[in-house]
Amino acid sequence: MAFDICKLRDSSRRLFARARFAPGCPGNPAAWLGVLVLLTVISAPPSRASGPETWVRVDTGASTLTVMRGEQVVASFPGIAVGRGGVSRERRRGDHKTPLGEFRIIKVKEPSQYHRFFIIDYPDEPRARLARDAGEIDEPTFQAIRSAGRAGRLPPQNTPLGGNLGIHGLGRGDPVVHESFHWTQGCVAVTNEQIDRLAELVRVGTRVVID
């Protein structure tokens, strides 16, 4: 075999040089081509199958949270609660509204007073830009939010746009209240059992669409 002729026992970048000067290594083009093919196979990184994206859809109208893999439903959780101020594209600190839009899970807080808490990257750059243009936040605040978002970090949470939002469980909260009212300060709430199941399916970086 060509591999035995050249005594190729090394997968490092110096393999070709060792083979080049190895005694008895054939000098014809076909043999050298075999060496080059071997080097390409050895040095290539392992391939990773890129399957469909796992993402979360929060349907505030139907009060459901669904984990999707591409367009396929993986798990669906009914009876969620959202902010007691309703839902809105615009949100301000203290209005208890759940923001509509597309976000990413940026941080996982566990344990939490809500059992588990998947924090999203709110406020985002588009909302911050609108708030800056309306004079609600200043330029340094806008730049801080934009920089954090582009770097994949948690944006400032103490601006007039509010923060500390995400998906969480009940903790020691009353299940009857959860079943009867939208009660949160702007987060999406599910039961403790549901948040435990969700923790098996999502991670930091998972996309969350709230509509």
Side-chain angles (χ1 to χ4, degrees):
M1 294 177 62
F3 300 161
D4 294 332
I5 292 173
C6 293
K7 308 294 184 183
L8 299 182
R9 299 188 181 94
D10 192 339
S11 62
S12 70
R13 292 182 179 179
R14 292 187 293 274
L15 180 58
F16 181 81
R18 292 181 181 182
R20 171 69 178 81
F21 297 106
C25 187
N28 63 74
W32 288 117
L33 179 60
V35 173
L36 291 173
V37 170
L38 176 63
L39 288 171
T40 301
V41 171
I42 291 175
S43 61
S47 61
R48 295 183 179 179
S50 55
E53 174 197 18
T54 297
W55 58 286
V56 173
R57 185 195 175 194
V58 178
D59 185 336
T60 59
S63 295
T64 59
L65 184 152
T66 305
V67 180
M68 307 289 295
R69 185 166 294 125
E71 296 302 316
Q72 179 181 0
V73 174
V74 176
S76 186
F77 307 130
I80 68 169
V82 296
R84 58 179 176 264
V87 298
S88 177
R89 289 281 170 187
E90 298 182 0
R91 186 185 190 279
R92 299 297 179 266
R93 182 171 54 198
D95 65 10
H96 299 152
K97 292 181 179 179
T98 297
L100 300 173
E102 184 173 308
F103 308 95
R104 296 272 176 182
I105 295 174
I106 198 73
K107 182 179 180 181
V108 179
K109 187 177 180 181
E110 52 183 356
S112 159
Q113 71 178 98
Y114 298 111
H115 188 52
R116 298 179 191 266
F117 192 174
F118 297 95
I119 301 173
I120 59 173
D121 58 348
Y122 175 92
D124 53 5
E125 182 177 338
R127 254 172 276 254
R129 180 176 287 107
L130 290 174
R132 179 200 60 184
D133 295 345
E136 297 175 347
I137 63 174
D138 57 21
E139 183 65 23
T141 301
F142 167 72
Q143 293 295 340
I145 293 172
R146 182 172 71 169
S147 297
R150 295 187 177 186
R153 294 183 282 102
L154 183 68
Q157 300 289 285
N158 58 349
T159 76
L161 299 179
N164 201 35
L165 299 178
I167 305 169
H168 60 65
L170 298 183
R172 296 183 179 180
D174 189 343
V176 174
V177 171
H178 176 71
E179 294 170 2
S180 305
F181 304 100
H182 290 301
W183 57 271
T184 78
Q185 297 180 34
C187 291
V188 175
V190 297
T191 67
N192 293 337
E193 293 75 18
Q194 289 170 339
I195 202 72
D196 284 342
R197 173 60 177 147
L198 187 64
E200 299 173 356
L201 302 172
V202 304
R203 57 181 177 80
V204 170
T206 298
R207 184 164 60 100
V208 177
V209 178
I210 304 175
D211 60 17

